[in-house]
Amino acid sequence: MHNPFENAMTQLEKAAQINKNLGAEFIAEMRVPDRDIRISIPVRMDNGALKIFEGYRVQYNNTLGPYKGGIRYHSETDINEVKALAFWMTLKCSVAGLPMGGGKGGITVEPRNLSKGELERLSRGWAQKLADVLGPQKDVPAPDVNTTPEIMTWMNDEFMKITGEKTGASFTGKPVDKGGSEGRDSATGLGGYYVFETLREKLRLPEKCNVAIQGFGNVGSHAAEIFVQNGHTVIAISDSKGGIYDADGLDITKLSEHKKTTGSLANFPKSENISNEKLLELECDVLIPAAFENQITEANAENVKARVVLELANGPTTPEADEILFKKDIPVVPDILANSGGVTVSYFEWDQNLKGEHWSEAEVFEKLKGHLENASEKILAKSLEYNTSLRMGAFLVALERIKENMHA
Ligand code: GLU
């Protein structure tokens, strides 16, 4: 099993070797989080029993601003995963040019097994236990895997009740009518598309691409819609149960309806059922992992036939797989750039809440586009300067900015 935090540290070590000026002391500081908090959350279940859940918040680094990052609800979430995700958030906010540090939270839970009431009590419990260390100028959580705008509302409400905070800027990813930003919902997928469009020609991709997407959650489904709207063909999609393939292209609206009615993607008319493993090995222009860590590993990287990998999940490619793809000349557009659209619009939400403003969707998207074009150009230039991968280009851009501001 790959430990995501060890993978993250391998990436950091590699960046340190590429730019020795980063220095051993700075790298040593980047290897450890500022704080790593574990909490116990007792929840009264619907059957009257008391169940205690394990929760986390890792505040990795706040050199650039308040800690920022989502909260993940998953049965396999543990401290190592949250620590890795918090580290990547630190670099992601730096890459995207945001005045935010990096953090991440989570609860070890399978949310599908909870009733709505249990989910609300659990979510309020998380905010209660961590209220001391959260807030607009301290740490601003947001959604991640299996956490929704509604969950953010419960947490924000609980936090405001405890602390008296009034701006609502303590959590982002709230529903639009509860202080959320226009465009936050689709921001990660759309941001990924802007990054792809900025780099497309330089990556020698055709104007119209065939795309395969692993994951049909918030990120994967929005990305699929956006790529199709822009004239690309989505030939395969999967979720945790398996995938489907149609060389002529999938109709995403119909596919969403099909999943809603049947509970899975399988047996979608005209398409072929395929496994998640097979999806990763399809011949296509762009492969988009939009699910979990450790999907492209030393075991399957050799079989990847995509021309480019666009990482909308966090940490989907292991360092060993990175080496293999680099040798095969398959560029990987790294997570900390490709999926930074989500946190960028989260930052816009925080900013709007603090200023008491509400921006239009068009304004949000225009600003998002500007941020991501800029970040993409910088990272490409850095990777060319050091003759290295886009991931290392992104690490160098991010680390250099943090180092310049550290202890300033
Ligand atoms: N969970 C998202 C991520 O991994 C978004 C974090 C945020 O909006 O703060 O980037």
Side-chain angles (χ1 to χ4, degrees):
M1 246 324 258
H2 292 270
N3 171 337
F5 190 66
E6 277 172 19
N7 287 349
M9 291 304 102
T10 306
Q11 295 168 337
L12 176 64
E13 195 44 49
K14 198 169 163 200
Q17 296 306 323
I18 295 173
N19 180 357
K20 294 251 169 35
N21 290 335
L22 288 166
E25 286 187 357
F26 170 68
I27 296 297
E29 280 198 63
M30 290 305 296
R31 293 185 77 87
V32 285
D34 289 344
R35 278 190 197 169
D36 139 355
I37 307 165
R38 294 175 210 218
I39 55 172
S40 306
I41 314 166
V43 175
R44 182 69 60 196
M45 305 304 276
D46 291 349
N47 66 6
L50 188 79
K51 192 165 172 190
I52 298 175
F53 291 87
E54 193 173 3
Y56 319 90
R57 185 71 181 169
V58 174
Q59 299 184 324
Y60 206 93
N61 187 290
N62 65 352
T63 299
L64 298 176
Y67 303 103
K68 183 86 197 80
I71 307 162
R72 177 170 294 198
Y73 286 4
H74 198 270
S75 53
E76 277 165 31
T77 288
D78 64 14
I79 194 69
N80 282 320
E81 184 187 44
V82 177
K83 224 156 73 169
L85 292 164
F87 169 77
W88 286 321
M89 281 311 303
T90 306
L91 302 194
K92 195 184 300 187
C93 291
S94 179
V95 154
L98 309 179
M100 293 282 175
K104 201 82 174 199
I107 301 179
T108 309
V109 60
E110 179 46 74
R112 270 177 298 198
N113 298 342
L114 300 187
S115 70
K116 192 162 172 191
E118 290 167 345
L119 192 65
E120 177 168 352
R121 293 193 288 281
L122 176 66
S123 303
R124 287 184 181 274
W126 190 93
Q128 232 173 57
K129 283 278 163 102
L130 290 163
D132 283 357
V133 296
L134 304 177
Q137 304 305 336
K138 289 190 201 166
D139 183 349
V140 187
D144 193 73
V145 173
N146 290 330
T147 46
T148 58
E150 189 175 36
I151 292 177
M152 294 306 113
T153 312
W154 294 329
M155 290 185 165
N156 202 32
D157 179 66
E158 193 64 28
F159 178 80
M160 296 205 295
K161 264 200 262 174
I162 296 169
T163 61
E165 206 285 324
K166 288 193 173 51
T167 65
S170 308
F171 287 80
T172 60
K174 303 179 291 293
V176 174
D177 62 352
K178 299 258 166 41
S181 177
E182 301 288 343
R184 174 63 186 85
D185 215 29
S186 57
T188 310
L190 183 63
Y193 183 74
Y194 289 148
V195 170
F196 157 83
E197 241 337 299
T198 312
L199 299 177
R200 187 180 54 75
E201 277 182 28
K202 284 121 191 162
L203 296 174
R204 300 188 302 272
L205 286 170
E207 237 169 74
K208 300 291 171 220
C209 290
N210 282 338
V211 183
I213 304 179
Q214 184 198 40
F216 201 51
N218 174 281
V219 177
S221 60
H222 279 112
E225 271 167 30
I226 294 162
F227 272 83
V228 170
Q229 277 161 14
N230 285 282
H232 304 282
T233 307
V234 174
I235 58 168
I237 295 190
S238 65
D239 66 9
S240 57
K241 295 184 202 143
I244 44 154
Y245 169 77
D246 182 345
D248 296 331
L250 296 160
D251 180 324
I252 310 304
T253 315
K254 286 201 181 129
L255 183 61
S256 299
E257 282 160 20
H258 174 80
K259 182 165 174 176
K260 228 179 253 163
T261 44
T262 67
S264 87
L265 300 172
N267 305 326
F268 184 57
K270 263 178 64 275
S271 64
E272 185 190 323
N273 293 338
I274 57 168
S275 66
N276 255 299
E277 293 71 34
K278 176 108 188 278
L279 181 137
L280 297 173
E281 299 177 3
L282 283 177
E283 215 157 289
C284 60
D285 296 309
V286 188
L287 171 63
I288 304 186
F292 289 101
E293 300 90 76
N294 298 332
Q295 300 302 304
I296 306 177
T297 67
E298 73 270 31
N300 62 1
E302 205 56 71
N303 303 333
V304 170
K305 291 174 211 62
R307 292 166 74 171
V308 167
V309 176
L310 179 72
E311 294 185 330
L312 293 190
N314 290 307
T317 312
T318 64
E320 297 80 13
D322 257 347
E323 301 283 339
I324 298 171
L325 295 177
F326 192 70
K327 283 198 193 112
K328 280 170 66 95
D329 204 17
I330 300 176
V332 178
V333 185
D335 45 7
I336 58 171
L337 170 65
N339 73 29
S340 65
V343 71
T344 301
V345 176
S346 269
Y347 157 64
F348 296 159
E349 180 174 333
W350 174 83
D351 199 28
Q352 290 171 79
N353 291 155
L354 290 178
K355 293 176 175 154
E357 293 177 359
H358 187 82
W359 307 345
S360 70
E361 188 181 76
E363 194 176 347
V364 168
F365 288 167
E366 199 192 306
K367 287 192 166 128
L368 176 65
K369 194 165 185 236
H371 266 266
L372 295 187
E373 282 174 355
N374 195 356
S376 307
E377 300 286 3
K378 260 197 208 149
I379 283 159
L380 180 67
K382 189 64 82 181
S383 68
L384 294 174
E385 181 190 335
Y386 282 87
N387 190 21
T388 184
S389 64
L390 288 167
R391 187 181 319 282
M392 284 301 114
F395 264 62
L396 297 180
V397 167
L399 292 168
E400 286 165 13
R401 180 169 170 230
I402 296 167
K403 185 176 174 182
E404 267 165 38
N405 288 278
M406 209 176 233
H407 313 306

